[in-house]
Each structure stands twice: as structure tokens, then as C-alpha cells.
């Protein structure tokens, strides 16, 4: 077997173990009987740890050295495979197997502690676990190393090449430009009657409608399925085995509909990765930020657009004739774009969402820098909520305990949501400018042209391009808050009939 | 870490990998999108092969030698763990990893070829795969070794300690005693009107009724779930994570009901293994035969008994009032015990079932002994069907291609079904004799006393006892066809009102 083939064989085994670990986790969230939880935690930990062990075997180093001695041509899959595998290998070999196991066990315990703490609104019972998570994050950053800030080491896992200082700069501009818009919207009052949002929509029919649109968006049952979980997510075990989840509320249909289309965006990205990259480290999205650009594009730029509801409203009305009594497409469009400062990130609208992210980013930085203790997080959280959104959680359950991320050791992860929001608009602007069939397609539920553009400029590349390379090649420039801010201004000035002057910072 | 703890840690990792492989397979049969099949085959092969590799590491040999040098007291878990691990290790180390991988790949290909061949009634397209399966079986037998017959090496994987010669002897008695009974039943004609079996029973309500009874039989949703698959099976990923599957036919309710209770028996066995054996090689059923004794007890000895239907009929009627119009408990009891020589093993009744097994056992022996070619199997199959049951398949799809087993490399497996049938009656006789609360419980849907007896005498032991030890301790003698033959005579003489004289061989 030649060097490249042997490397691919070993990486294929690692990929298979990672798929097995992902399936164990998916099953845990969707179908597993409750009494199985404790053993399942051990199983996930073992399989993840063996994947790590298998990937960090010295043989990989030998094979990489052999391939690096005779570098493949730039732009080839082989060159990307060696480069990305080297990156992952160097990061992974800095992490001892014992640390990986300790982290997996601690995360499993923290996850269960978080579930109980959120249920009982009892931050103190979660606090030692959260201390442990930040402690593990600090140790992890030290193990992999960093130039400027330990946060960079964490962020780099989710957004390769991104730096805390750059995120700070982009977020500062975003904050300064969005705050006056938010204030103008709050001052303007309601744009329509929002009562339709809480009318009763049969959940079986919600499921049917959500899936019909998801299929129009490209997600076919041949290579995907939708299940129910407490927290919606996308995972996959190969590009033809996409699993998305959602949750249903008969009295709040936006949750399942926009949630399904959000995960559809993630799923279409993973399905669109070139088949030749399968079972290698190249066969997934370039970063969480690029991933989020796809989910947000489907959920918001398409799903919450006026053309979308002008097209789908008649069918939506046919599925829910009673619930939509007295409602037209325009009212629905305005209702699903209600802007309202609120406590819960996952329920936030396009204008306020990024403030939830900035808050978390700033708190993570402060704890890592040692200027804030974990025990002080609830108060610091609430103070920032008041500062940015003018609302204060009545409990930690709807404050600092609301997200699963920290209990899962995901520190440095939150900024990618906002980076994805920004990128979604930058990509869609570029796509429309480059292919004149895309805009008419969005008006008629014909997503083929847009999908083809995304497939060509984003999906197929997998991890062969960095987020920066991908962004610059697809849009002609690096990531900026400017297109997103412009998108928000145009959309919400119209919906809330705002005076032009109100929008300047 | 001391020697025993290190062994348990390594065995725990193997157990976790096996659970992951089992979940990949369960998902493949129940939920996986169709386009994922080819990559899934690779994933199952990789994880199964890594489990094998992990189990056959020389460190296990060192640890076993250390523990064997200072043997634990007989009857302790430690003694059983060392003994059973040694048995498995010696068998496994005789099989090279490459052979395991080749077998897994060939089985995956054979499985897909069998699906297509059965669908198209095209034995010739499956023949090379079946040749390969018998070839692998022969090579496997040579690798693990045997004293008398290569079949023993295969059988021993499923029924530790069993031998082909012993099975031949038991089957000969069973055949000679059952054939006159079957002939008398066929001569007697119908015992009742069987029309109820093909009336329409709503599948959602079938599911509900099947699960309600399964719960009475001890299978709680807390540690189990029921899904749909083309071929019903039980699998599990820990004793608190039991998965059973069934299939539904609106016009043949016995399939889902008795199928569910059959798998419930398997599931209760695995759930009942002592918790202290978890994540070790001791933590599953003693053999397939003992397993089948539990599933057949639930399906047939309980589910097809007169007391069962006398107890459940009113509820069954409440769930299906239209379908059961004009039917009473006695008619239903007789209908679900229809004896009818037929072509398909999984649809066979208690009297004819074992003939389907004897046929397969004899054909497997003949192919392994070289007295029959794989290409001659269809004709040999049909000839034996005519000889034993007086029926001839009209196609290979309902003949030699009907079972999944050979395509999955399961040669030497079939006899365990009949051994389980025999053991089920031998165990239930012993249970009733030892605890007088069991028989009244069976009349009133109170399965607690029987479950407690099974838990104590069968389930909790896992693999700490061999099938022979378990049988002798629980019933006071080794396995015999005599109780089963007596059970059949008493039950069917009554149902078919047979003259006493008709039953002698």
C-alpha cells in the first residue's frame, strides 16, 4: 500500500469511530430509553477516546512526514488532506488520551448536573461543574498553545484561523451599528398583531409542512431524517446519512418550522461536501461559522423573507385553514419577524440575537482572563442583559443556565453563531450578484440555482479551504459586519416603517 | 491498578465498541436513510474489527495468565470472568484481524445480494455469495479447531458445549415423536374457523395492545423501546437499553403480537443479567438456545396458551370490537394455534417449526461434509420440504432464499431455535413444579412469580453458567425432547380432539 493510501485507510477508521460516537450521541438525544444514560456516557467516552488514540498513533506522523517530503500540487485534494491532517494531528497530539477521557467524563457529569440545575433553577449545584469546564478549557488552551490569548486556542477549534481580537473588532462595529436600530424598533412599537404566533397549530401538520419545505430546500428522505429532541441539532454519519432534529409546540409553530429549516441548512452543507472527501478529515464543514451561515440562510434569509411567505402562504393556509383565519401573507411575514428584546438566545430575532452572543463572548473572555469568577457569572450575565437588551432574567434558569454549551465544554464556541449570521448575508449578496436566476428562484420556491451556487462556492470544498479563503473566494472580500447591518436596516425599516434618520449610530 | 481491575477496564472498552457496532446495526435496520447503506457497511466492519483487535491484544493474555496463576474460588464472578474470557480469547486469537474484516465485508455484500436475490427470486445471483459464506465457515472451523466435526466449531459459537452428534440424536427423537402427531392433526382437519386471523386489525392499535402485554410481561419503557424493521430482532447496548423490533400487517395480527412477545422474551433475558456483570463478556445470555427458550416461552407457552387468551380476550375485544365480532376466547385460542404444514419457517406453528430447523441443519451438515454442493441447495431444500411437511416451494424466494441467516454468515445457528423450543417447556415445567404461585399467575396475567423464577434460575447468571449447567441446575436434568413432545401432544390432542391412539410413533 502506498503512503497516501495507508493514510486514507487509517483516517477512514478514525472517521468510522467518530461516526459511531456521533450515532451513540444522536441516539441518546432522540431514542434512548432513560435508564440507559449512565452506561451510554461510558460508551461515548470510550469510542471518542479510541478515535483520538487511533488518530494520534505515531504511524500517522510517519505517513505525514513521508507525504510532506514530496508535497502534492497546491489545490489538490492530496495537498489539502496532508495540510488539514497535519493541523489536526499537531493539535491532537498535544492532548494526552487521559485528558480526553477526563474531559469526556467531566462533560457527561456536567451535562446531567446542568439538566438538573436548570430544572431546579439552582446555579450553585452546577457551579463546580462549570468551574471544571473552564478549568479544562484553560488547560486545553495551554496544551495546544496560543500566541495572543488563550481564547484563540479554543476559538480555533471551531473557527480555524479566527482570533479573539478580530472577533472583538467585528463585534464592536456590529454592536454600534445595531443598537440604534434596535432602539428605533422598540420605540416604534408593534408592526402587526402577533396573536397568530400562539394560535394552535397541530403538531403532526407542522411536521408535514416543515418537511415539505425542507424537501424543496433540497433535503431528501433518501439521505436524511427528522427526529424529535429536547434541543434541536444536526449530526451526520456520512454525507448520505444526515440527521436533523426539531421540537414541536402546538402553540408556537415558529419553533418547529424555522428550527427545521435551520437544521436543513446545516444538513445540506454536510450532504454537499464532495464525495471524494468521504471518510477523511476534509469531509465536513469548514468551520462552525460557515456552517451557521448555511443554517441561518435557510432559516432567516429565506424562511423569514417576504418572497418566501408570498410563495408558501397559500399552501400553509391550506394545511392550517382554522389557525390562519383572518391572516394574510404580509401579516404572517411581519409576525415571524417580530423584534423583541428577550431573555432566551434561541428564541431571539435577527436584530437582538447577536447581543446574546456578544454577552457570552465577553463573559467567557473575562472568566478566562481571571477578571470574573465563575461564581459571579449569574450577576454579570444579568447586568449585561440589562445593558444590551433592557431585560433582566427572573431566574438563572432563564439566564446563565439556559444554554447547553458550557455544560458540554463548548467554550469559545458562541462567537461562531454571530460570525455565521454575518457571513450568511455576505454570501447571499454575492450569490445574487453572480447568478441572476437566484433572486427569481427565491420568489417561486425554486431553490435549485441558489443550491448550485452554494454547492459550488461553499459545500463541496469541505475543509479544503479555510473559512477566510472560502469567504474571500466566494464573496471577493473578508468577513465584515457591513452587509448584515445593511440587511437588518433595509428589512426592519420597512417592517416597522422607521424614519431613515433613526438608524444612524 | 490491580490485574483484575485492568482486565475489567480493557473488557469494558471492548464491550463499549461492541455496543457501538450493535447500535450501528440496529440503526441500519430501523432508522437509517437508504442512501447511507454503503458507508454504513464500512463503519460496522471497522468498529467490529477494532473490538476484535482490542480484545485480542497480548495484554489480555498476560492478565489472564496472572489471574489463572492464583485462581479465584469456584462459583465467584471473578472465576467465571477469567474462565469465559479465556474461552473467548483463545477462540478469538485463532482468528486473524484480516479474516474478521474479510468476513464482515463479505457478509455485508452477501446481505445486499440476498435482499436482491429474494426480491427477484434469483438464487443464482446469490449463489457465489453463499459459496463464500460456506467457504468462510469452513475456514473458520479450521482456524478455531474441532475434535469430531467442523460443524461443532460453528455450533459452539452459538451454543457453547453443544455438539452436532448430540443435536442429531435429540432431533432424531423429536422427529420420530412429532411426525405421527403432525399426521394426525393434518388428518383431523380444521379445529375452528380461521377467518379471524386475516380480518383487518388497525396497526396502531396492534402496536398498543402488543406493548401493553409486553409491559405486563415485564418489559418497561424505562429500559426498552420497540421499533419497526423488515425482520424482527432484539438487540441491546446495555441491560437498561433493550431494543426490540417487530413488523405489522393489518391483515395478519399474529405477526406483530406474537413477534413482539417473542422479542420481549429475549429482551427480558438481557435485562435480567446481573448488574455486576455489566460491560464484561459475562453480560449476555448463556447461549442462543437458552435465549430462544425465553422468547418461545413468552411467545408460545404464554402467548399461545388458553389461560392467556381467557385473561386477555376481553381487553383484546375492547381494543378491536369490530374485528372480533362473533369471536370468543376459545375460538381465538384455537385460531392462533392453527397447525398447518407451510413453506416459511418464521410463520410456522409449534408442531411444524422444528421440521424447518431439522431441514436446515441437515443441509448445512451436508454442504460442510461436501456431500452437497451449494448449487444443489434449492433442489435439496425442496425435496426435504416435501419429505417432512408434504409441501413444495413454488419459488426459491419462499424456499432456500427465505432466511437472512446464511447471508449473514450464520451457519450452525439454526439448531439453537429448536434447542430453545425444547428447553422452554423443560424450564416452564420445572418452574411450575417449584413455585405453586406461577400457574395461577399465568391464569391472571400476573407474571411476577414466573419472572422471579426465571430471573433467579436463568437471567441473572448471564454467561457464568454454561447452557448445560444452567439446564441441569434449573430443571434437574440435561436437555431432552421429552417434555416438549408431551406438551405438544397434550395441547394439540385437546385442540384437534385427536384420538389417543393416533399419537404413538
Amino acid at each position: 500500500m502506498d503512503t497516501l493510501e495507508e493514510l486514507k485507510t487509517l483516517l477512514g477508521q478514525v472517521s468510522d469511530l467518530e461516526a459511531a460516537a456521533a450515532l451513540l450521541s444522536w441516539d441518546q438525544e432522540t431514542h434512548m430509553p432513560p435508564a440507559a444514560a449512565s452506561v451510554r456516557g461510558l460508551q461515548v467516552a470510550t469510542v471518542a477516546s479510541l478515535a483520538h488514540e487511533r488518530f494520534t498513533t505515531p504511524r500517522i506522523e510517519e505517513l505525514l512526514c513521508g507525504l510532506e517530503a514530496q508535497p502534492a500540487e497546491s489545490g489538490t485534494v492530496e495537498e489539502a488532506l496532508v495540510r488539514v491532517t497535519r493541523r489536526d494531528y499537531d493539535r491532537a497530539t498535544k492532548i494526552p488520551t487521559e485528558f480526553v477521557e477526563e474531559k469526556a467524563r467531566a462533560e457527561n457529569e456536567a451535562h446531567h448536573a446542568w439538566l438538573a440545575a436548570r430544572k431546579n433553577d439552582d446555579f450553585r449545584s452546577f457551579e463546580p461543574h462549570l468551574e471544571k469546564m473552564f478549568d479544562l478549557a484553560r488547560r486545553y488552551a495551554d496544551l495546544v498553545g496560543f500566541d495572543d490569548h488563550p481564547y484563540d486556542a479554543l476559538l480555533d477549534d471551531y473557527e480555524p484561523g479566527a482570533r479573539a481580537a478580530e472577533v472583538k473588532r467585528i463585534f464592536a462595529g456590529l454592536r454600534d451599528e445595531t443598537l440604534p436600530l434596535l432602539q428605533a424598533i422598540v420605540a416604534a412599537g408593534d408592526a402587526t398583531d402577533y396573536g397568530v404566533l400562539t394560535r394552535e397549530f397541530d403538531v403532526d401538520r407542522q411536521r408535514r409542512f416543515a418537511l415539505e419545505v425542507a424537501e424543496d430546500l433540497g433535503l431528501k428522505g433518501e439521505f436524511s431524517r427528522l427526529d424529535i429532541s429536547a434541543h434541536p441539532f444536526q449530526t451526520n454519519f456520512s454525507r448520505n446519512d444526515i440527521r436533523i432534529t426539531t421540537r414541536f409546540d402546538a402553540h408556537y409553530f415558529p419553533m418547529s418550522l424555522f428550527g427545521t429549516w435551520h437544521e436543513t441548512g446545516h444538513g445540506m452543507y454536510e450532504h454537499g461536501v464532495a464525495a471524494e472527501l468521504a471518510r477523511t478529515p476534509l469531509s465536513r464543514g469548514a468551520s462552525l461559522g460557515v456552517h451557521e451561515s448555511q443554517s441561518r440562510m435557510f432559516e432567516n434569509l429565506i424562511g423569514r423573507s417576504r418572497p418566501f411567505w408570498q410563495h408558501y402562504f397559500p399552501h400553509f393556509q391550506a394545511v392550517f385553514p382554522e389557525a390562519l383565519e383572518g391572516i394574510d401573507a404580509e401579516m404572517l411575514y411581519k409576525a415571524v419577524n417580530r423584534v423583541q428584546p428577550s431573555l432566551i438566545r434561541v428564541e431571539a430575532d435577527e436584530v437582538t440575537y447577536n447581543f446574546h452572543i456578544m454577552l457570552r463572548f465577553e463573559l467567557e473572555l473575562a472568566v478566562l482572563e481571571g477578571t470574573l469568577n465563575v461564581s459571579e457569572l449569574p450577576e454579570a450575565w444579568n447586568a449585561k442583559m440589562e445593558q444590551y437588551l433592557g431585560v433582566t432574567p427572573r431566574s438563572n434558569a432563564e439566564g446563565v443556565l439556559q444554554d447547553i454549551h458550557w455544560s458540554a465544554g463548548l467554550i469559545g464556541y458562541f462567537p461562531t453563531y454571530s460570525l455565521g449570521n454575518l457571513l450568511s448575508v455576505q454570501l447571499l449578496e454575492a450569490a445574487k450578484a453572480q447568478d441572476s436566476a437566484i433572486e427569481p428562484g427565491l420568489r417561486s420556491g425554486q431553490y435549485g440555482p441558489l443550491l448550485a451556487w452554494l454547492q459550488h462556492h461553499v459545500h463541496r470544498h469541505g475543509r479544503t479551504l479555510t473559512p477566510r479563503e472560502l469567504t474571500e473566494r466566494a464573496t471577493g472580500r473578508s468577513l465584515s459586519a457591513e452587509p448584515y447591518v445593511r440587511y437588518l436596516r433595509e428589512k426592519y425599516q420597512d417592517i416597522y416603517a422607521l424614519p431613515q434618520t433613526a438608524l444612524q449610530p
Side-chain angles (χ1 to χ4, degrees), chain A residues 20-39:
Chain A
L23 177 60
L24 286 163
S25 298
W26 170 83
D27 179 75
Q28 184 167 27
E29 301 301 324
T30 53
H31 294 311
M32 188 186 75
S38 61
V39 174

Side-chain angles (χ1 to χ4, degrees), chain A residues 409-486:
Chain A
L410 300 173
I411 295 165
Y413 183 114
F414 280 117
T416 65
Y417 289 117
S418 285
L419 299 177
N421 286 338
L422 306 189
L423 183 58
S424 70
V425 175
Q426 191 165 325
L427 284 171
L428 188 57
E429 270 194 359
K432 287 177 180 172
Q434 290 169 33
D435 181 348
S436 61
I438 289 174
E439 180 113 41
L442 297 180
R443 297 185 195 283
S444 58
Q446 300 295 320
Y447 301 106
L450 174 61
L451 272 177
W453 190 92
L454 292 172
Q455 163 72 17
H456 187 77
H457 292 274
V458 181
H459 300 174
R460 70 185 170 105
H461 299 298
R463 292 174 76 206
T464 59
L465 302 180
T466 66
R468 179 180 300 274
E469 286 169 339
L470 187 150
T471 303
E472 291 177 355
R473 291 194 197 184
T475 73
R477 59 170 170 167
S478 62
L479 185 66
S480 157
E482 187 265 323
Y484 191 76
V485 169
R486 181 154 30 83

Side-chain angles (χ1 to χ4, degrees), chain A residues 60-120:
Chain A
I60 300 261
E61 171 74 40
E62 291 167 21
L63 294 168
L64 284 175
C65 287
L67 291 162
E68 285 161 345
Q70 296 182 300
E73 206 180 324
S74 178
T76 61
V77 169
E78 180 180 341
E79 183 272 334
L81 182 66
V82 173
R83 174 169 42 81
V84 171
T85 304
R86 165 59 73 192
R87 176 194 187 276
D88 292 353
Y89 185 82
D90 286 350
R91 283 182 83 84
T93 49
K94 292 173 180 166
I95 313 297
T97 302
E98 295 71 30
F99 184 86
V100 174
E101 284 170 355
E102 178 189 350
K103 192 161 183 283
R105 269 193 304 274
E107 285 164 9
N108 188 52
E109 286 166 19
H111 177 69
H112 288 94
W114 168 72
L115 286 172
R118 195 179 57 154
K119 188 178 171 199
N120 305 322

Side-chain angles (χ1 to χ4, degrees), chain A residues 103 129 149 154 182 201 229 254 285 293 326 352 393 418 434 465 483 495 499:
Chain A
K103 192 161 183 283
H129 296 279
H149 197 289
L154 306 177
L182 176 58
F201 287 70
S229 70
S293 76
T352 58
S418 285
Q434 290 169 33
L465 302 180
I495 290 176

Side-chain angles (χ1 to χ4, degrees), chain A residues 91 103 107 126 129-138 140-141 150-158 288 360-361 363-368 374 377 404-416:
Chain A
R91 283 182 83 84
K103 192 161 183 283
E107 285 164 9
F126 180 55
H129 296 279
L130 189 51
E131 285 274 17
K132 177 79 180 176
M133 290 298 110
F134 273 99
D135 171 54
L136 286 163
R138 269 185 220 98
Y140 183 84
Y151 200 91
D152 293 345
L154 306 177
L155 186 57
D156 201 72
D157 266 357
Y158 312 117
L288 294 187
R360 287 156 176 77
F361 173 61
L363 294 179
E364 288 179 342
L365 274 180
V367 173
L368 284 173
V374 167
L377 273 171
I404 194 175
H405 299 64
W406 289 344
S407 79
L410 300 173
I411 295 165
Y413 183 114
F414 280 117
T416 65

